[in-house]
Amino acid sequence: MNKTRIIVMSLALGLYTTTWAGGKPKKAFIPMDYSTCGYHASELSIPDVRNVVTVTKTQGDCSSRIQKAIDYVASMKADKNGHRGTILIGEGTFYLEQSLRISASGVVLRGMGKNKTRLVKKGFDREALIYIEGKNSLTKGDTIKVADQKLAAGSNKLTLASAAKVKAGDRIMILRPSTKEWIAALKCDDFGGGLDYTGWKPTDIDMLWNRTITSVEGNNITIDAPLTMTIDQLYGNASLITSYNKGEITECGVENMTIESAHNDWNPKDEDHCWDGVWMNYTSDCWVRRVDFKHFAGSAVNLQKQTRRTTVEDCVASEPVSEIGGWRRRVFLTRGEQNLFQRCVSKDGYHDLTLSYNATVKAH
C-alpha cells in the first residue's frame, strides 16, 4: 500500500425532509450547517499563547523534564482568556520513556518547528505520546421532555414541555435515545449468522449533544449549533438535560513539532510501540496544528467521544508501522462533536479520516 491522501473532503451533508404543498408530498433539501465546528465554533482564531518555560535537549529520557514543565505551567494562574502559558521545547531530538499528560486548561506544548523539534516515544506500550484529558464530572440537573413530535436533522430550535428551568446562556445536553423500536425499524437488531447476541441493543447508539441555549421564548428554545440527527417521538422521547461536564479542560494545544513512535526497524508490521500521537478526551476549544506524525500504528490525532470544538490543521502523518487491519492506521480519528480538520495530509493510512457514528465534524 503506497498512497497519499490530502484531506480535502467537504462534509456539506444535506438531508431530505418531506413537506406538503397543495396536498402532495414534496421533498426539500436541508443543508447541514457546519459553521460552528472548530476552536470556539470558528468564531475566534487560534491564539499564540506566550512562552513561560523553555525545555532544552539533554541526553537520555526527557519525559520527566518536559512533564515537570507541563505541571509547573498547569499550576499557574490562568489569564482572562483561560491561558496559563506555553512550554517551548527547544531544538533537537527528545527521547521519551513515558507519555506526556496535560490535565489542566490553558497549557500549550510548542516546538521550534517541524524540522527543529522532534519528540520520539520509546517503549513497548501501545499508548499515546501526548494525552490531553480532563475529567467526567457532570453537574446536577433536571430532565425536560422535548415536546416536538419530529425535528429534522439540522434543526437548532426545539419546543420543551416546559422551559421554566432554563435560560439563555445555559449549557445543556440533548439526548436522543436509541430505542428497541428504532433499531428494529432500521433492521439492525439482528445481523444474522444464527447468533442472537449480534445486532444493536437499546442505548448502544444513543445520541448526546452538548449545546448552549442562545434564546428562550415561551417553551421554545434556540441552541448554538444544530442537531445532527432527526428526532422522532415515534421512536422514543428525546430529552433536554440541564447539566454539563464541569470537568472538561479547554485552551490546550500542541504545535510546531514532529512527534514519532520508535519501533523495530526490521519489522514493518511491528505493533509493540506507541500507537497514537495526540489523544484527547473531556476537552473543548483545543487545537493541534503544524505537527508531523511518523510511525504510529493507530492514529496521529485521536479525539474521543467527549471532545468538542477542536481544530486540527496543517498536519502531516506518514510512515505508519503496523499490520493492515481493523482499528489500525485510522489516521485522523474523531468520535466527538463540532471538530474541524483542515489542510491535513495522510500517507499510507488505512482509514485516513475516521468518523464515529456520533461525530459532528467538518473536514476540508
PDB file of all heavy atoms in Angstrom, residues 115-142:
ATOM      1  N   ASN A 115      10.960  20.868  11.607  1.00  0.00           N
ATOM      2  CA  ASN A 115      12.295  20.377  11.270  1.00  0.00           C
ATOM      3  C   ASN A 115      13.318  20.645  12.365  1.00  0.00           C
ATOM      4  O   ASN A 115      14.514  20.370  12.182  1.00  0.00           O
ATOM      5  CB  ASN A 115      12.764  21.016   9.964  1.00  0.00           C
ATOM      6  CG  ASN A 115      11.879  20.656   8.791  1.00  0.00           C
ATOM      7  OD1 ASN A 115      11.405  19.521   8.689  1.00  0.00           O
ATOM      8  ND2 ASN A 115      11.611  21.617   7.911  1.00  0.00           N
ATOM      9  N   LYS A 116      12.864  21.200  13.491  1.00  0.00           N
ATOM     10  CA  LYS A 116      13.800  21.544  14.562  1.00  0.00           C
ATOM     11  C   LYS A 116      13.528  20.793  15.862  1.00  0.00           C
ATOM     12  O   LYS A 116      14.460  20.426  16.571  1.00  0.00           O
ATOM     13  CB  LYS A 116      13.756  23.051  14.819  1.00  0.00           C
ATOM     14  CG  LYS A 116      14.258  23.892  13.648  1.00  0.00           C
ATOM     15  CD  LYS A 116      14.219  25.369  13.968  1.00  0.00           C
ATOM     16  CE  LYS A 116      14.759  26.201  12.811  1.00  0.00           C
ATOM     17  NZ  LYS A 116      14.735  27.663  13.101  1.00  0.00           N
ATOM     18  N   THR A 117      12.268  20.572  16.200  1.00  0.00           N
ATOM     19  CA  THR A 117      11.912  19.891  17.439  1.00  0.00           C
ATOM     20  C   THR A 117      11.285  18.546  17.122  1.00  0.00           C
ATOM     21  O   THR A 117      10.325  18.463  16.362  1.00  0.00           O
ATOM     22  CB  THR A 117      10.923  20.728  18.261  1.00  0.00           C
ATOM     23  OG1 THR A 117      11.510  21.988  18.580  1.00  0.00           O
ATOM     24  CG2 THR A 117      10.544  20.006  19.551  1.00  0.00           C
ATOM     25  N   ARG A 118      11.849  17.508  17.733  1.00  0.00           N
ATOM     26  CA  ARG A 118      11.405  16.133  17.448  1.00  0.00           C
ATOM     27  C   ARG A 118      11.248  15.388  18.761  1.00  0.00           C
ATOM     28  O   ARG A 118      12.200  15.254  19.535  1.00  0.00           O
ATOM     29  CB  ARG A 118      12.438  15.469  16.543  1.00  0.00           C
ATOM     30  CG  ARG A 118      12.160  14.032  16.133  1.00  0.00           C
ATOM     31  CD  ARG A 118      13.169  13.596  15.078  1.00  0.00           C
ATOM     32  NE  ARG A 118      13.168  12.165  14.830  1.00  0.00           N
ATOM     33  CZ  ARG A 118      14.151  11.338  15.146  1.00  0.00           C
ATOM     34  NH1 ARG A 118      15.251  11.817  15.741  1.00  0.00           N
ATOM     35  NH2 ARG A 118      14.063  10.050  14.874  1.00  0.00           N
ATOM     36  N   LEU A 119      10.020  14.906  19.032  1.00  0.00           N
ATOM     37  CA  LEU A 119       9.761  14.071  20.200  1.00  0.00           C
ATOM     38  C   LEU A 119       9.594  12.639  19.744  1.00  0.00           C
ATOM     39  O   LEU A 119       8.795  12.359  18.843  1.00  0.00           O
ATOM     40  CB  LEU A 119       8.490  14.526  20.933  1.00  0.00           C
ATOM     41  CG  LEU A 119       8.384  15.979  21.391  1.00  0.00           C
ATOM     42  CD1 LEU A 119       7.096  16.175  22.195  1.00  0.00           C
ATOM     43  CD2 LEU A 119       9.586  16.398  22.194  1.00  0.00           C
ATOM     44  N   VAL A 120      10.329  11.718  20.355  1.00  0.00           N
ATOM     45  CA  VAL A 120      10.293  10.305  19.972  1.00  0.00           C
ATOM     46  C   VAL A 120       9.928   9.477  21.191  1.00  0.00           C
ATOM     47  O   VAL A 120      10.661   9.451  22.188  1.00  0.00           O
ATOM     48  CB  VAL A 120      11.645   9.840  19.399  1.00  0.00           C
ATOM     49  CG1 VAL A 120      11.558   8.363  19.003  1.00  0.00           C
ATOM     50  CG2 VAL A 120      12.048  10.685  18.205  1.00  0.00           C
ATOM     51  N   LYS A 121       8.797   8.794  21.119  1.00  0.00           N
ATOM     52  CA  LYS A 121       8.341   7.940  22.227  1.00  0.00           C
ATOM     53  C   LYS A 121       8.924   6.552  22.074  1.00  0.00           C
ATOM     54  O   LYS A 121       8.728   5.881  21.050  1.00  0.00           O
ATOM     55  CB  LYS A 121       6.814   7.866  22.228  1.00  0.00           C
ATOM     56  CG  LYS A 121       6.223   6.907  23.262  1.00  0.00           C
ATOM     57  CD  LYS A 121       6.503   7.347  24.683  1.00  0.00           C
ATOM     58  CE  LYS A 121       5.710   6.521  25.692  1.00  0.00           C
ATOM     59  NZ  LYS A 121       6.079   5.084  25.654  1.00  0.00           N
ATOM     60  N   LYS A 122       9.670   6.085  23.095  1.00  0.00           N
ATOM     61  CA  LYS A 122      10.244   4.751  23.110  1.00  0.00           C
ATOM     62  C   LYS A 122       9.384   3.824  23.965  1.00  0.00           C
ATOM     63  O   LYS A 122       8.430   4.253  24.605  1.00  0.00           O
ATOM     64  CB  LYS A 122      11.673   4.821  23.648  1.00  0.00           C
ATOM     65  CG  LYS A 122      12.589   5.742  22.841  1.00  0.00           C
ATOM     66  CD  LYS A 122      13.955   5.898  23.477  1.00  0.00           C
ATOM     67  CE  LYS A 122      14.783   4.632  23.392  1.00  0.00           C
ATOM     68  NZ  LYS A 122      16.162   4.838  23.932  1.00  0.00           N
ATOM     69  N   GLY A 123       9.721   2.546  23.959  1.00  0.00           N
ATOM     70  CA  GLY A 123       8.996   1.595  24.791  1.00  0.00           C
ATOM     71  C   GLY A 123       8.083   0.694  23.978  1.00  0.00           C
ATOM     72  O   GLY A 123       7.904   0.871  22.766  1.00  0.00           O
ATOM     73  N   PHE A 124       7.485  -0.271  24.684  1.00  0.00           N
ATOM     74  CA  PHE A 124       6.680  -1.305  24.039  1.00  0.00           C
ATOM     75  C   PHE A 124       5.182  -1.151  24.286  1.00  0.00           C
ATOM     76  O   PHE A 124       4.399  -1.992  23.872  1.00  0.00           O
ATOM     77  CB  PHE A 124       7.141  -2.694  24.528  1.00  0.00           C
ATOM     78  CG  PHE A 124       8.591  -2.969  24.249  1.00  0.00           C
ATOM     79  CD1 PHE A 124       9.535  -2.886  25.271  1.00  0.00           C
ATOM     80  CD2 PHE A 124       9.015  -3.281  22.971  1.00  0.00           C
ATOM     81  CE1 PHE A 124      10.879  -3.129  25.020  1.00  0.00           C
ATOM     82  CE2 PHE A 124      10.354  -3.523  22.707  1.00  0.00           C
ATOM     83  CZ  PHE A 124      11.297  -3.432  23.739  1.00  0.00           C
ATOM     84  N   ASP A 125       4.784  -0.108  24.991  1.00  0.00           N
ATOM     85  CA  ASP A 125       3.364   0.064  25.273  1.00  0.00           C
ATOM     86  C   ASP A 125       2.639   0.545  24.023  1.00  0.00           C
ATOM     87  O   ASP A 125       3.237   1.038  23.069  1.00  0.00           O
ATOM     88  CB  ASP A 125       3.144   1.066  26.410  1.00  0.00           C
ATOM     89  CG  ASP A 125       3.692   2.441  26.074  1.00  0.00           C
ATOM     90  OD1 ASP A 125       3.066   3.138  25.249  1.00  0.00           O
ATOM     91  OD2 ASP A 125       4.747   2.819  26.619  1.00  0.00           O
ATOM     92  N   ARG A 126       1.326   0.428  24.045  1.00  0.00           N
ATOM     93  CA  ARG A 126       0.502   0.872  22.915  1.00  0.00           C
ATOM     94  C   ARG A 126      -0.302   2.122  23.292  1.00  0.00           C
ATOM     95  O   ARG A 126      -1.450   2.274  22.913  1.00  0.00           O
ATOM     96  CB  ARG A 126      -0.436  -0.260  22.480  1.00  0.00           C
ATOM     97  CG  ARG A 126       0.303  -1.491  21.951  1.00  0.00           C
ATOM     98  CD  ARG A 126      -0.673  -2.505  21.394  1.00  0.00           C
ATOM     99  NE  ARG A 126       0.016  -3.651  20.811  1.00  0.00           N
ATOM    100  CZ  ARG A 126      -0.585  -4.602  20.090  1.00  0.00           C
ATOM    101  NH1 ARG A 126      -1.891  -4.518  19.875  1.00  0.00           N
ATOM    102  NH2 ARG A 126       0.103  -5.603  19.592  1.00  0.00           N
ATOM    103  N   GLU A 127       0.336   3.007  24.015  1.00  0.00           N
ATOM    104  CA  GLU A 127      -0.344   4.204  24.480  1.00  0.00           C
ATOM    105  C   GLU A 127      -0.157   5.352  23.488  1.00  0.00           C
ATOM    106  O   GLU A 127       0.249   5.143  22.339  1.00  0.00           O
ATOM    107  CB  GLU A 127       0.183   4.578  25.874  1.00  0.00           C
ATOM    108  CG  GLU A 127      -0.128   3.531  26.933  1.00  0.00           C
ATOM    109  CD  GLU A 127       0.252   3.997  28.320  1.00  0.00           C
ATOM    110  OE1 GLU A 127       0.886   5.070  28.459  1.00  0.00           O
ATOM    111  OE2 GLU A 127      -0.090   3.280  29.280  1.00  0.00           O
ATOM    112  N   ALA A 128      -0.469   6.558  23.930  1.00  0.00           N
ATOM    113  CA  ALA A 128      -0.271   7.754  23.110  1.00  0.00           C
ATOM    114  C   ALA A 128       0.980   8.478  23.579  1.00  0.00           C
ATOM    115  O   ALA A 128       1.439   8.306  24.715  1.00  0.00           O
ATOM    116  CB  ALA A 128      -1.481   8.682  23.220  1.00  0.00           C
ATOM    117  N   LEU A 129       1.519   9.307  22.709  1.00  0.00           N
ATOM    118  CA  LEU A 129       2.676  10.113  23.098  1.00  0.00           C
ATOM    119  C   LEU A 129       2.232  11.292  23.963  1.00  0.00           C
ATOM    120  O   LEU A 129       2.834  11.584  24.989  1.00  0.00           O
ATOM    121  CB  LEU A 129       3.417  10.609  21.850  1.00  0.00           C
ATOM    122  CG  LEU A 129       4.827  11.170  22.054  1.00  0.00           C
ATOM    123  CD1 LEU A 129       5.666  10.969  20.804  1.00  0.00           C
ATOM    124  CD2 LEU A 129       4.801  12.651  22.420  1.00  0.00           C
ATOM    125  N   ILE A 130       1.150  11.964  23.573  1.00  0.00           N
ATOM    126  CA  ILE A 130       0.636  13.101  24.337  1.00  0.00           C
ATOM    127  C   ILE A 130      -0.839  12.866  24.649  1.00  0.00           C
ATOM    128  O   ILE A 130      -1.643  12.619  23.741  1.00  0.00           O
ATOM    129  CB  ILE A 130       0.792  14.427  23.558  1.00  0.00           C
ATOM    130  CG1 ILE A 130       2.264  14.713  23.264  1.00  0.00           C
ATOM    131  CG2 ILE A 130       0.170  15.593  24.343  1.00  0.00           C
ATOM    132  CD1 ILE A 130       2.480  15.877  22.303  1.00  0.00           C
ATOM    133  N   TYR A 131      -1.191  12.949  25.931  1.00  0.00           N
ATOM    134  CA  TYR A 131      -2.587  12.895  26.368  1.00  0.00           C
ATOM    135  C   TYR A 131      -3.019  14.286  26.814  1.00  0.00           C
ATOM    136  O   TYR A 131      -2.333  14.936  27.604  1.00  0.00           O
ATOM    137  CB  TYR A 131      -2.760  11.935  27.553  1.00  0.00           C
ATOM    138  CG  TYR A 131      -2.649  10.478  27.214  1.00  0.00           C
ATOM    139  CD1 TYR A 131      -1.437   9.799  27.340  1.00  0.00           C
ATOM    140  CD2 TYR A 131      -3.760   9.755  26.782  1.00  0.00           C
ATOM    141  CE1 TYR A 131      -1.332   8.451  27.039  1.00  0.00           C
ATOM    142  CE2 TYR A 131      -3.665   8.405  26.485  1.00  0.00           C
ATOM    143  CZ  TYR A 131      -2.450   7.758  26.616  1.00  0.00           C
ATOM    144  OH  TYR A 131      -2.348   6.418  26.315  1.00  0.00           O
ATOM    145  N   ILE A 132      -4.167  14.722  26.315  1.00  0.00           N
ATOM    146  CA  ILE A 132      -4.806  15.939  26.809  1.00  0.00           C
ATOM    147  C   ILE A 132      -6.177  15.495  27.299  1.00  0.00           C
ATOM    148  O   ILE A 132      -7.050  15.150  26.502  1.00  0.00           O
ATOM    149  CB  ILE A 132      -4.925  17.014  25.721  1.00  0.00           C
ATOM    150  CG1 ILE A 132      -3.540  17.359  25.168  1.00  0.00           C
ATOM    151  CG2 ILE A 132      -5.606  18.266  26.273  1.00  0.00           C
ATOM    152  CD1 ILE A 132      -3.562  18.356  24.017  1.00  0.00           C
ATOM    153  N   GLU A 133      -6.374  15.491  28.620  1.00  0.00           N
ATOM    154  CA  GLU A 133      -7.566  14.832  29.162  1.00  0.00           C
ATOM    155  C   GLU A 133      -8.049  15.505  30.437  1.00  0.00           C
ATOM    156  O   GLU A 133      -7.289  15.693  31.382  1.00  0.00           O
ATOM    157  CB  GLU A 133      -7.262  13.359  29.445  1.00  0.00           C
ATOM    158  CG  GLU A 133      -8.465  12.548  29.868  1.00  0.00           C
ATOM    159  CD  GLU A 133      -8.146  11.074  30.028  1.00  0.00           C
ATOM    160  OE1 GLU A 133      -6.946  10.725  30.162  1.00  0.00           O
ATOM    161  OE2 GLU A 133      -9.087  10.276  30.041  1.00  0.00           O
ATOM    162  N   GLY A 134      -9.324  15.870  30.422  1.00  0.00           N
ATOM    163  CA  GLY A 134      -9.970  16.360  31.625  1.00  0.00           C
ATOM    164  C   GLY A 134     -10.619  15.227  32.382  1.00  0.00           C
ATOM    165  O   GLY A 134     -10.155  14.080  32.341  1.00  0.00           O
ATOM    166  N   LYS A 135     -11.718  15.533  33.083  1.00  0.00           N
ATOM    167  CA  LYS A 135     -12.423  14.525  33.872  1.00  0.00           C
ATOM    168  C   LYS A 135     -13.906  14.515  33.523  1.00  0.00           C
ATOM    169  O   LYS A 135     -14.433  15.490  33.002  1.00  0.00           O
ATOM    170  CB  LYS A 135     -12.251  14.808  35.368  1.00  0.00           C
ATOM    171  CG  LYS A 135     -10.824  14.720  35.854  1.00  0.00           C
ATOM    172  CD  LYS A 135     -10.738  15.041  37.339  1.00  0.00           C
ATOM    173  CE  LYS A 135      -9.301  14.942  37.839  1.00  0.00           C
ATOM    174  NZ  LYS A 135      -9.205  15.265  39.297  1.00  0.00           N
ATOM    175  N   ASN A 136     -14.557  13.420  33.848  1.00  0.00           N
ATOM    176  CA  ASN A 136     -16.001  13.317  33.685  1.00  0.00           C
ATOM    177  C   ASN A 136     -16.652  13.692  35.009  1.00  0.00           C
ATOM    178  O   ASN A 136     -16.669  12.917  35.954  1.00  0.00           O
ATOM    179  CB  ASN A 136     -16.383  11.905  33.266  1.00  0.00           C
ATOM    180  CG  ASN A 136     -17.862  11.789  32.933  1.00  0.00           C
ATOM    181  OD1 ASN A 136     -18.532  12.790  32.706  1.00  0.00           O
ATOM    182  ND2 ASN A 136     -18.373  10.578  32.913  1.00  0.00           N
ATOM    183  N   SER A 137     -17.144  14.928  35.085  1.00  0.00           N
ATOM    184  CA  SER A 137     -17.719  15.432  36.337  1.00  0.00           C
ATOM    185  C   SER A 137     -18.952  16.262  36.008  1.00  0.00           C
ATOM    186  O   SER A 137     -18.887  17.479  35.848  1.00  0.00           O
ATOM    187  CB  SER A 137     -16.686  16.282  37.097  1.00  0.00           C
ATOM    188  OG  SER A 137     -17.213  16.773  38.311  1.00  0.00           O
ATOM    189  N   LEU A 138     -20.081  15.595  35.896  1.00  0.00           N
ATOM    190  CA  LEU A 138     -21.313  16.260  35.497  1.00  0.00           C
ATOM    191  C   LEU A 138     -21.925  17.050  36.654  1.00  0.00           C
ATOM    192  O   LEU A 138     -21.906  16.597  37.809  1.00  0.00           O
ATOM    193  CB  LEU A 138     -22.328  15.244  34.987  1.00  0.00           C
ATOM    194  CG  LEU A 138     -21.985  14.522  33.684  1.00  0.00           C
ATOM    195  CD1 LEU A 138     -23.040  13.456  33.384  1.00  0.00           C
ATOM    196  CD2 LEU A 138     -21.893  15.502  32.526  1.00  0.00           C
ATOM    197  N   THR A 139     -22.461  18.210  36.333  1.00  0.00           N
ATOM    198  CA  THR A 139     -23.225  18.964  37.312  1.00  0.00           C
ATOM    199  C   THR A 139     -24.587  18.307  37.516  1.00  0.00           C
ATOM    200  O   THR A 139     -25.053  17.540  36.678  1.00  0.00           O
ATOM    201  CB  THR A 139     -23.428  20.413  36.837  1.00  0.00           C
ATOM    202  OG1 THR A 139     -24.187  20.389  35.602  1.00  0.00           O
ATOM    203  CG2 THR A 139     -22.096  21.096  36.580  1.00  0.00           C
ATOM    204  N   LYS A 140     -25.240  18.627  38.627  1.00  0.00           N
ATOM    205  CA  LYS A 140     -26.596  18.129  38.853  1.00  0.00           C
ATOM    206  C   LYS A 140     -27.560  18.869  37.935  1.00  0.00           C
ATOM    207  O   LYS A 140     -27.355  20.032  37.607  1.00  0.00           O
ATOM    208  CB  LYS A 140     -26.997  18.330  40.304  1.00  0.00           C
ATOM    209  CG  LYS A 140     -26.213  17.475  41.285  1.00  0.00           C
ATOM    210  CD  LYS A 140     -26.707  17.684  42.705  1.00  0.00           C
ATOM    211  CE  LYS A 140     -25.928  16.803  43.682  1.00  0.00           C
ATOM    212  NZ  LYS A 140     -26.385  16.995  45.083  1.00  0.00           N
ATOM    213  N   GLY A 141     -28.602  18.177  37.507  1.00  0.00           N
ATOM    214  CA  GLY A 141     -29.548  18.820  36.605  1.00  0.00           C
ATOM    215  C   GLY A 141     -30.883  18.112  36.561  1.00  0.00           C
ATOM    216  O   GLY A 141     -31.072  17.046  37.165  1.00  0.00           O
ATOM    217  N   ASP A 142     -31.800  18.715  35.830  1.00  0.00           N
ATOM    218  CA  ASP A 142     -33.131  18.160  35.628  1.00  0.00           C
ATOM    219  C   ASP A 142     -33.269  17.624  34.203  1.00  0.00           C
ATOM    220  O   ASP A 142     -32.509  18.010  33.308  1.00  0.00           O
ATOM    221  CB  ASP A 142     -34.203  19.232  35.860  1.00  0.00           C
ATOM    222  CG  ASP A 142     -34.222  19.710  37.299  1.00  0.00           C
ATOM    223  OD1 ASP A 142     -34.311  18.860  38.202  1.00  0.00           O
ATOM    224  OD2 ASP A 142     -34.146  20.940  37.512  1.00  0.00           O
TER     225      ASP A 142
END
